[in-house]
Amino acid sequence: MLGFDILPDKARSELLEEEEEEEEEEEEEEEDERLNLRFGERGHASAAGTKEEKPYYITTPIFYVNAAPHVGHLYTMVLTDILKRWQKLQRREAYLCTGTDEHGMKAALKAGSEPKAFCDKGAEIFKMLARRAGVMNDYFIRTTDPEHREAVEYAWFLLRERGYIYSSKHEGWYSVSDETFYPQSGVHLVLDPSTGRKMMASIETGKEVEWTSESNYHFRLSSFKDRLLDFYRENPKFIVPAMRMNDVVEAVSSGLEDLSISRPVERLTWGIRVPNDDSQTIYVWLDALINYITKAGYPWAPGQESAGGWPADCQVIGKDIVRFHCIYWPAFLLALDIPPPRQILTHAHWTLGHKKMAKSTGNVVNPFFALDRFGVDTMRYYLAYDGGISDDSNYGNEYIIERYKKGLQGGLGNLTSRILRGRGWSVRRAVEAAEASDESTRYDKASLQQREKIVRLRSIVEARMAALDVSAALRDIMGLIYNTNRYMQESSPWSATSLSSPAQINQIIYLCAEAIRVSAILLQPYMPGKMQQLLDMLGVDDARRSFEDTLFGADRDYGVSKRSLGKGIEGVLFPPLSSDN
């Protein structure tokens, strides 16, 4: 059973202490938020209906509580948080929603006789993971929340009134694990390697399916084929990466079957009952997907449709739930006359030993242990750097150590120490000298190239982030760090030649310091804690740490550290890891 046993001792004790304190606070906050959501009091739009730019809204999928979180969940959270923080870096109001999916047969079977208590515990663990990883989520939704039930019931009512829901007998292959039906073409006979038992399984996920015949409600998904294809055609960047967009278009083009959206209550008791029909429970995916608009204020008061950020600017999901988010979800929204999200970022999976992570086989990585061992910012850096969008990535402690030593300790950390602890120069003096110079200042070839690399970085990173390519943006930033280390080594300000020219020393140090300053600002979404420390070490004012400050020479007031730089290991930005094993 999912419980506190997956947490390190420190995290477990923190959770137990926080539970009682948070319970009353959360009840009050949730009640206040429900009132705000119902009456549209949140967001940019004023009471007079003045239209302004809507807030940026980004979501993670809601995570099943039937199993403990693993590093894949952490990756999704971190990826989403980086994109949210990037918007904040540009001084845009931004909301991030994450949460837990608590309904369905999986949760009911796992929980036994106490599903709500089981879900409460599971939700707390995912909340703790978000906090532990430094995720700036504004909302944490649970499908057991009263406001979510209201939103689902309202959506069901509209879909039924508009003729998109009908009752019919349904037969097909059902997967409890995937919470979905599969057509005959989507299943095959396999041999369970652990038991030697023959069973029918989903071709897509490999999960066992069982033949089911029952009467339930259906959504007229088949009638949305042309509307979906038109939507994809008009929004060619709806799904990232493009290869998954092509897969979805191909799947829809081949035809759609109507979708079963409820289960008989005797088969599924744990969930939201169909309005006016207590014999049926709403199918988990219709229930679950509505969460994204619940926290955006749905159902909206007139004129408040965009106040909470909808349509979502980006929804981040794993590649295993593309069909539900990229076909079913936009179809539901179109049926409700609600605009679909602007983009859906679909990422690949993490493997361990080049095998899929699965709790059933024990082939998983506990994210709490990883965060405790390597530190929050190191893990965020590693996941962003190596995480796959198109292709799966293989997780390994040795890869984390390698990235740390090369990029953080040997790259950024080493450069920072060389510049800030140098005995023959002063960063503040170099900044003042740059302020006193003018356009006629002469640069040698190497210095001119270094300057141009700093100037171009902000636009390169901005383009990468606009394309939702978080890893490429990080690699570009680190590319400047590596180049700056080479530039300093080749320019050798400590040499006898340089020492005879204070102006030359100041120019070299200034170009290196500017590279660190600009890079540190751009790295804040990735490593917020360490970059706060680095910018403090540089003496950058708190008000000069936004994207607009990444212009070359935009800040002429830094150079006096706000922290003790220490000696030796003391004060080092990235000290040696406690264990390299």
Side-chain angles (χ1 to χ4, degrees), residues 155-351:
W156 182 281
F157 171 78
L158 289 183
L159 293 172
R160 185 73 186 268
E161 285 293 301
R162 294 174 182 182
Y164 292 120
I165 293 178
Y166 65 94
S167 180
S168 175
K169 184 176 181 180
H170 186 89
E171 292 184 328
W173 295 100
Y174 187 77
S175 167
V176 173
S177 183
D178 296 333
E179 302 275 19
T180 190
F181 281 95
Y182 288 102
Q184 185 64 45
S185 60
V187 300
H188 61 168
L189 184 66
V190 298
L191 191 69
D192 186 342
S194 60
T195 65
R197 180 173 62 92
K198 290 183 179 180
M199 65 180 191
M200 296 299 292
S202 161
I203 295 173
E204 182 181 349
T205 67
K207 301 297 185 181
E208 184 174 5
V209 297
E210 60 182 9
W211 183 258
T212 302
S213 178
E214 60 191 34
S215 292
N216 49 30
Y217 289 95
H218 290 69
F219 173 74
R220 298 185 190 277
L221 182 64
S222 60
S223 66
F224 282 85
K225 173 182 174 182
D226 292 338
R227 289 185 67 182
L228 285 171
L229 290 174
D230 288 343
F231 173 74
Y232 300 146
R233 193 160 37 248
E234 293 165 5
N235 300 273
K237 296 183 179 180
F238 173 59
I239 303 170
V240 177
M243 66 180 215
R244 294 200 184 102
M245 180 71 167
N246 295 336
D247 291 342
V248 166
V249 171
E250 182 180 350
V252 174
S253 298
S254 65
L256 297 171
E257 296 181 359
D258 286 352
L259 185 65
S260 173
I261 55 171
S262 75
R263 303 293 311 279
V265 70
E266 61 268 18
R267 289 181 179 268
L268 177 58
T269 58
W270 182 239
I272 300 172
R273 298 293 168 83
V274 168
N276 301 318
D277 186 354
D278 285 341
S279 70
Q280 295 277 321
T281 303
I282 296 175
Y283 167 68
V284 67
W285 279 104
L286 175 59
D287 168 4
L289 290 165
I290 295 295
N291 92 86
Y292 302 122
I293 53 176
T294 299
K295 278 303 184 183
Y298 182 81
W300 295 288
Q304 296 293 304
E305 292 83 359
S306 296
W310 198 264
D313 296 87
C314 181
Q315 297 198 259
V316 181
I317 64 170
K319 65 178 183 179
D320 55 325
I321 50 176
V322 166
R323 176 159 53 100
F324 308 105
H325 284 79
C326 301
I327 299 177
Y328 300 171
W329 181 221
F332 292 152
L333 291 170
L334 291 171
L336 292 167
D337 291 330
I338 297 173
R342 292 175 175 172
Q343 283 191 295
I344 296 183
L345 174 60
T346 68
H347 64 73
H349 291 162
W350 285 89
T351 60

